[in-house]
């Protein structure tokens, strides 16, 4: 048995095979082939395999996220059977006597450029799809398997570290837990593990090596320990621990439908944070009163190109409809820093966390921002959507945002497209500047939501991504607590409401203090909703 200690990200025990995350490194080269018939049939076989994979994905998505979202996998199947697409590949193989990989990659580039240049927003959206399906065929042709796409049974995913974009693409039904060599507990990957309700340990170091691929392992997410090839005694102890944990969770079930109210009658809203529509099930299952933070940038991270207005509209509408009138706070694009997307073409920066990110991108590239705002204002017709802006540092930014919103609304009106005129607007309080000018900001917006993850990083000058600094990263620091208090006083003085959507909102040691500050809402990962409700109900 090998025992490795790391840092816990999410409690719970999971037992299963270790599976190392593999990154595909395919280099597509143009090579000459003598037998073009053979090459064409090699392509056809790969294409058939891809179609079968997509059929499986469709069935799975149908169960997990409903027909509307599963549709994309049907569209992908149709694209692979499209005659123009197939003819182009066959033609390149036969006339240029080249390998199938090169023919697929060239066709994918040509077709995606053609779609992207079309006027119709729907067709533009197909540009990313054609690339996506072609990548699938290329993976098969090159014999690489990216991530854990081909995993047959649920496993514990092991990796050096996982980027948020890699984590969101994992098939969640097959992930028992995460175990990584590096990573910080405040990173977005750690946040995703919490949202997905998956036991996770990070910072396990080099002892976690690929030679353990396929070995039986146990994650004890309470102590931050990974056991590889556990002995009988440890295995049975861990099985008992898991049972106990499940029992505790069953007990919490009894709190469903109950109010978030203290013994003396003070009420507070408890909402959930999500990154994706597939998290909606967990939100409803855990009885959250609304969604306090929808990290919309994950929509961008999952795509290979800018999500179109229609794609975004469909997602926001689905979230609004599923929440059936409960509040859904959607945060506009917060890309940059650790959340990198190739197609944004962002430059490498010395200090990305202090760099070109979030609202700064939206205000300098308004075409991206406007597409998102149009989708949001249109989707707001279908439910109780509020919009929130990240990384705000000045009142002038709010004025600029409002001017863009006015333009977007005027455009929708002129085109006769239905939208909601009055949408609640809020800002994230996650920079010290926003705290210091919170009184002025509160005059401009309906609500604040404190992003304690970034507020801690910017106030304490500690990079939240740097695992070496985890021991210094102290969100309980009096400076942070005073800032939250100050923002709450400013909000209430100007008739706005205030919540916390950073990880600190789920810190049960501080619940009482947050209630004393008079916070109106706490938004936490879905699995923390019921433990938080329990804690609130125990408070005086
Ligand atoms: C935060 O900074 O606290 C926050 C909620 O936003 P994110 O973690 O996505 O940066
Ligand atoms: Mg933030």
């Amino acid at each position: 048995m090998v025992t490795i200690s790391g840092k816990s990200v999410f409690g719970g025990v999971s037992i299963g095979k270790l599976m190392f995350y593999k990154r595909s490194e395919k280099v597509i080269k143009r090579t000459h082939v003598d037998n073009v018939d053979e090459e064409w049939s090699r392509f056809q076989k790969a294409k058939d395999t891809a179609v079968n994979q997509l059929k499986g994905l469709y069935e799975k998505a149908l169960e997990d996220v409903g027909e509307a979202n599963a549709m994309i996998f049907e569209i992908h199947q149709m694209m692979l059977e499209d005659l123009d697409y197939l003819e182009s590949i066959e033609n390149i193989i036969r006339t240029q006597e080249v390998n199938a990989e090169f023919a697929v990659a060239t066709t994918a580039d040509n077709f995606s450029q053609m779609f992207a240049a079309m006027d119709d927003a729907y067709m533009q959206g197909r540009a990313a799809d054609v690339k996506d399906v072609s990548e699938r065929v290329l993976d098969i042709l090159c014999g690489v398997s990216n991530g854990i796409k081909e995993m047959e049974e649920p496993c514990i995913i092991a990796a050096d570290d996982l980027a948020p974009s890699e984590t969101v693409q994992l098939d969640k039904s097959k992930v028992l837990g995460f175990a990584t060599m590096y990573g910080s507990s405040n990173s977005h990957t750690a946040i995703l593990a919490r949202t997905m309700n998956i036991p996770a340990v990070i910072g396990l170091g080099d002892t976690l090596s690929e030679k353990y691929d396929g070995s039986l392992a146990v994650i004890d997410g309470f102590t931050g320990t990974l056991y590889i090839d556990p002995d009988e005694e440890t295995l049975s102890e861990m099985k008992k621990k898991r049972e106990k944990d499940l029992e505790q969770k069953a007990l919490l079930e009894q709190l469903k439908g109950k109010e978030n109210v203290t013994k003396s009658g003070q009420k507070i809203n408890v909402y959930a944070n999500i990154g994706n529509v597939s998290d909606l099930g967990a939100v409803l299952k855990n009885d959250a009163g609304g969604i306090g933070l929808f990290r919309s940038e994950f929509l961008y991270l999952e795509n290979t190109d800018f999500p179109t207005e229609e794609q975004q509209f469909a997602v926001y509408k689905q979230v609004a409809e599923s929440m059936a009138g409960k509040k859904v706070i959607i945060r506009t694009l917060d890309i940059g820093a650790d959340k990198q997307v190739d197609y944004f073409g962002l430059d490498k920066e010395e200090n990305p966390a202090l760099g070109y990110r979030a609202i700064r991108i939206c205000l300098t590239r308004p075409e991206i921002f406007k597409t998102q705002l149009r989708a949001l204002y249109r989707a707001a017709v279908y439910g109780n959507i509020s919009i929130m802006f990240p990384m705000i540092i000045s009142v002038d930014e709010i004025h600029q945002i409002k001017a863009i919103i006015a333009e977007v609304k005027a455009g929708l009106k002129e085109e006769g497209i239905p939208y909601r005129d009055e949408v609640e607007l809020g800002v994230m309080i996650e920079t010290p500047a926003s705290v210091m000018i919170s009184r002025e900001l509160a005059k401009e917006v309906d609500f604040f939501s404190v992003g304690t993850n970034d507020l801690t990083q910017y106030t304490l000058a500690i990079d939240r991504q740097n695992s070496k600094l985890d021991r210094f990263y102290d969100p309980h620091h009096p400076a942070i607590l005073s800032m939250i208090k100050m923002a709450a006083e400013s909000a209430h003085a100007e008739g706005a409401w205030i919540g916390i959507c950073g990880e600190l909102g789920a810190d049960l040691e501080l619940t009482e203090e947050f209630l004393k500050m008079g916070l109106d809402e706490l938004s936490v990962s879905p699995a923390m909703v019921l433990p938080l409700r329990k804690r609130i109900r125990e408070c005086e």
Side-chain angles (χ1 to χ4, degrees):
M1 176 169 86
V2 181
T3 306
I4 317 177
S5 297
K7 284 174 266 181
S8 164
V9 163
F10 186 73
V13 175
S14 56
I15 303 172
K17 265 195 202 156
L18 267 190
M19 171 78 87
F20 268 77
Y21 187 90
K22 292 186 185 61
R23 295 190 174 86
S24 83
E25 283 165 17
K26 27 178 213 298
V27 183
I28 307 297
K29 283 202 191 120
R30 179 193 170 111
T31 50
H32 173 81
V33 293
D34 293 327
N35 189 338
V36 288
D37 286 333
E38 224 170 60
E39 197 60 12
W40 171 237
S41 74
R42 192 166 79 85
F43 162 76
Q44 282 180 312
K45 261 201 215 123
K47 186 212 66 181
D48 291 344
T49 309
V51 170
N52 280 334
Q53 285 179 356
L54 288 164
K55 279 188 187 144
L57 282 176
Y58 174 79
E59 294 302 328
K60 187 190 165 289
L62 201 60
E63 257 176 44
D64 288 0
V65 289
E67 199 179 342
N69 287 294
M71 273 276 284
I72 186 67
F73 298 114
E74 264 197 340
I75 296 174
H76 280 192
Q77 286 174 56
M78 288 190 308
M79 292 182 110
L80 280 180
E81 306 284 8
D82 179 74
L83 279 184
D84 291 330
Y85 179 76
L86 295 177
E87 269 175 19
S88 161
I89 292 168
E90 185 171 10
N91 187 44
I92 294 175
I93 292 177
R94 291 191 188 282
T95 57
Q96 302 183 34
E97 297 181 348
V98 287
N99 52 331
E101 288 87 341
F102 179 78
V104 173
T106 309
T107 302
D109 281 346
N110 293 344
F111 275 56
S112 72
Q113 275 171 25
M114 179 178 75
F115 284 136
M118 289 184 176
D119 283 339
D120 181 345
Y122 176 81
M123 293 313 283
Q124 285 170 3
R126 302 281 76 83
D129 291 324
V130 78
K131 283 224 149 191
D132 198 356
V133 286
S134 306
E135 278 299 316
R136 182 174 292 282
V137 178
L138 285 172
D139 279 353
I140 297 165
L141 282 169
C142 301
V144 297
S145 115
N146 209 352
I148 51 153
K149 265 185 218 154
E150 318 307 338
M151 197 166 63
E152 269 155 21
E153 53 180 312
C155 289
I156 293 174
I157 305 302
D160 47 359
D161 199 0
L162 286 166
S165 57
E166 290 171 333
T167 317
V168 285
Q169 281 172 40
L170 294 173
D171 175 354
K172 294 178 197 173
S173 68
K174 290 196 176 151
V175 181
L176 294 175
F178 290 116
T180 66
M181 297 180 199
Y182 316 110
S184 122
S185 11
N186 312 298
S187 69
H188 282 94
T189 300
I191 291 172
L192 278 170
R194 276 176 222 129
T195 310
M196 288 156 73
N197 198 359
I198 288 175
V201 271
I202 60 171
L204 291 161
D206 300 344
T207 328
L208 174 64
S209 91
E210 282 211 35
K211 70 175 182 214
Y212 299 119
D213 197 37
S215 306
L216 181 68
V218 179
I219 288 182
D220 181 348
F222 296 105
T223 58
T225 314
L226 176 74
Y227 302 97
I228 303 173
D229 294 326
D231 54 33
E232 282 296 316
E233 199 188 328
T234 311
L235 193 59
S236 90
E237 192 192 317
M238 285 297 128
K239 280 185 180 160
K240 273 192 215 132
K241 197 164 181 178
R242 188 175 60 180
E243 291 287 298
K244 212 168 140 213
D245 179 44
L246 295 176
E247 269 168 34
Q248 287 267 323
K249 286 184 176 136
L251 268 180
L252 285 174
E253 288 280 305
Q254 295 170 2
L255 284 173
K256 280 192 185 170
K258 301 247 165 76
E259 277 190 309
N260 307 304
V261 62
T262 63
K263 287 186 179 156
S264 59
Q266 185 182 341
K267 289 185 190 164
I268 185 164
N269 289 318
V270 177
Y271 294 165
N273 295 346
I274 64 167
N276 198 296
V277 270
S278 60
D279 301 327
L280 277 177
V283 173
L284 299 173
K285 190 167 148 255
N286 289 287
D287 196 29
I291 290 172
L293 168 64
F294 177 3
R295 290 183 162 95
S296 72
E297 58 275 8
F298 284 105
L299 249 171
Y300 293 73
L301 287 172
E302 286 164 345
N303 261 301
T304 46
D305 203 346
F306 292 101
T308 62
E309 180 181 326
E310 292 310 315
Q311 282 174 319
Q312 295 192 54
F313 168 66
V315 171
Y316 304 148
K317 176 170 174 271
Q318 191 194 349
V319 176
E321 282 177 343
S322 308
M323 292 306 289
K326 290 184 182 143
K327 200 185 279 296
V328 175
I329 303 177
I330 303 181
R331 172 174 77 186
T332 58
L333 180 61
D334 186 11
I335 226 81
D338 64 321
K339 289 176 280 196
Q340 290 293 336
V341 187
D342 291 346
Y343 59 83
F344 270 70
L346 301 178
D347 293 333
K348 266 222 155 331
E349 294 176 300
E350 283 282 313
N351 290 306
L354 302 179
Y356 184 55
R357 57 173 294 199
I359 201 69
R360 301 168 188 178
I361 297 183
C362 290
L363 291 177
T364 40
R365 293 174 71 176
E367 69 291 352
I368 300 176
F369 196 31
K370 280 185 191 163
T371 304
Q372 181 168 40
L373 288 170
R374 278 174 66 99
L376 285 168
Y377 272 87
R378 287 174 57 197
V381 172
Y382 298 88
N384 186 6
I385 286 182
S386 306
I387 305 177
M388 163 160 93
F389 304 99
M391 291 292 296
I392 294 297
I393 55 165
S394 75
V395 173
D396 184 53
E397 286 167 342
I398 310 297
H399 292 160
Q400 291 180 51
I401 291 168
K402 285 187 176 169
I404 294 175
I405 289 176
E407 263 181 62
V408 161
K409 288 204 280 191
L412 289 169
K413 192 169 180 186
E414 204 178 297
E415 292 161 51
I417 298 173
Y419 67 96
R420 186 187 288 273
D421 197 42
E422 286 301 323
V423 172
E424 200 185 37
L425 299 181
V427 288
M428 295 211 44
I429 297 292
E430 51 185 349
T431 60
S434 65
V435 177
M436 298 315 289
I437 59 163
S438 51
R439 190 74 191 252
E440 298 311 309
L441 286 173
K443 291 184 183 136
E444 297 284 339
V445 294
D446 303 300
F447 68 96
F448 285 166
S449 189
V450 187
T452 50
N453 311 333
D454 278 318
L455 186 61
T456 307
Q457 122 163 306
Y458 296 128
T459 305
L460 305 185
I462 287 178
D463 177 1
R464 66 192 262 195
Q465 291 292 117
N466 186 338
S467 57
K468 285 202 201 100
L469 299 176
D470 270 3
R471 57 183 274 242
F472 297 106
Y473 182 97
D474 173 20
H476 285 216
H477 193 291
I480 307 298
L481 299 176
S482 305
M483 283 180 157
I484 300 174
K485 189 158 178 271
M486 181 174 170
E489 282 164 3
S490 300
H492 291 152
E494 298 296 341
W497 65 265
I498 178 166
I500 295 181
C501 63
E503 297 298 291
L504 201 61
D507 190 327
L508 304 182
E509 280 177 35
L510 291 173
T511 309
E512 190 138 27
E513 191 146 356
F514 292 150
L515 284 159
K516 280 189 198 146
M517 289 181 193
L519 294 184
D520 304 285
E521 176 242 24
L522 296 171
S523 189
V524 297
S525 56
M528 280 307 292
V529 169
L530 294 174
L532 179 57
R533 176 170 301 163
K534 180 168 179 283
R535 180 75 196 100
I536 294 166
R537 294 172 67 89
E538 286 162 2
C539 287
E540 291 302 329

